[in-house]
């Protein structure tokens, strides 16, 4: 297995695979309250079988080249992750998503991991547009999009039905030429 360093603090980005379901479930239990407020990701992993199923769905997406899932480890503990929720190589468009457990917040882990994903998408795979979709109320997620140099494309009003309520989504993006100029 490979690991990509996320900096001097020892944080690593690694593939997150079905065989790691128990570790993933333990992590989701720590992250559930924070993550579940915004996305159904935590609700999709409530026991070992459902955690394994979620990880397997992303393994299948990776095999089909339509998505990928990576974990963020800090001091040997899985504390969050980043993913390509959508990856369409033919159109050159993808969407990244992120999550983190409360104890790992405030260290820049999500920003650093998202930078690695965008680098790979743009430089290795030739993606043209990388999107970030966040609830308009999720100010922490929107702050990451800003730190990544993304542009706010707009708001999709009440487009996201979650837990019986409609939420506005902010769509942010960065285009390959913008990313290359930013990264030098």
């Amino acid at each position: 297995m490979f690991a990509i360093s996320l900096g001097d603090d020892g944080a690593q980005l690694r593939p997150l695979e079905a065989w790691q379901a128990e570790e993933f479930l333990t992590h989701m239990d720590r992250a559930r309250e924070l993550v579940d407020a915004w996305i159904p990701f935590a609700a999709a992993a409530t026991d070992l079988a459902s955690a394994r199923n979620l990880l397997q769905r992303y393994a299948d997406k990776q095999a089909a080249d339509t998505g990928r899932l990576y974990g963020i480890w800090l001091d040997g503990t899985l504390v969050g992750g980043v993913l390509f929720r959508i990856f369409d190589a033919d159109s050159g468009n993808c969407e990244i998503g992120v999550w983190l457990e409360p104890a790992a917040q405030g260290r820049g882990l999500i920003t650093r991991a998202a930078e690695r994903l965008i680098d790979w998408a743009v430089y290795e795979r030739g993606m043209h547009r990388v999107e970030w979709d966040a609830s308009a109320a999720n100010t922490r997620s929107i702050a990451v999009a800003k730190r990544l140099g993304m542009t706010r494309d707009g708001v999709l009003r009440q487009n996201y039905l979650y837990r019986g309520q409609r939420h506005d989504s902010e769509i942010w993006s960065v285009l390959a030429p913008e990313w290359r100029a930013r990264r030098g």
Side-chain angles (χ1 to χ4, degrees), residues 75-93:
D75 298 325
T77 300
L78 178 63
V79 296
V82 291
L83 58 89
F84 287 109
R85 193 180 77 78
I86 298 169
F87 194 87
D88 185 343
D90 291 338
S91 72
N93 296 324

Side-chain angles (χ1 to χ4, degrees), residues 52-115:
R52 186 175 291 113
N53 184 48
L54 176 64
L55 296 176
Q56 186 60 53
R57 281 197 323 257
Y58 272 90
D60 295 343
K61 285 180 117 180
Q62 182 168 337
D65 200 27
T66 60
R68 291 173 185 265
L69 179 64
Y70 300 94
I72 299 170
W73 276 262
L74 185 62
D75 298 325
T77 300
L78 178 63
V79 296
V82 291
L83 58 89
F84 287 109
R85 193 180 77 78
I86 298 169
F87 194 87
D88 185 343
D90 291 338
S91 72
N93 296 324
C94 61
E95 178 191 329
I96 61 175
V98 301
W99 76 93
L100 196 64
E101 63 185 59
Q105 289 183 321
R107 301 171 189 232
L109 294 170
I110 290 295
T111 301
R112 289 183 274 157
E115 285 173 338

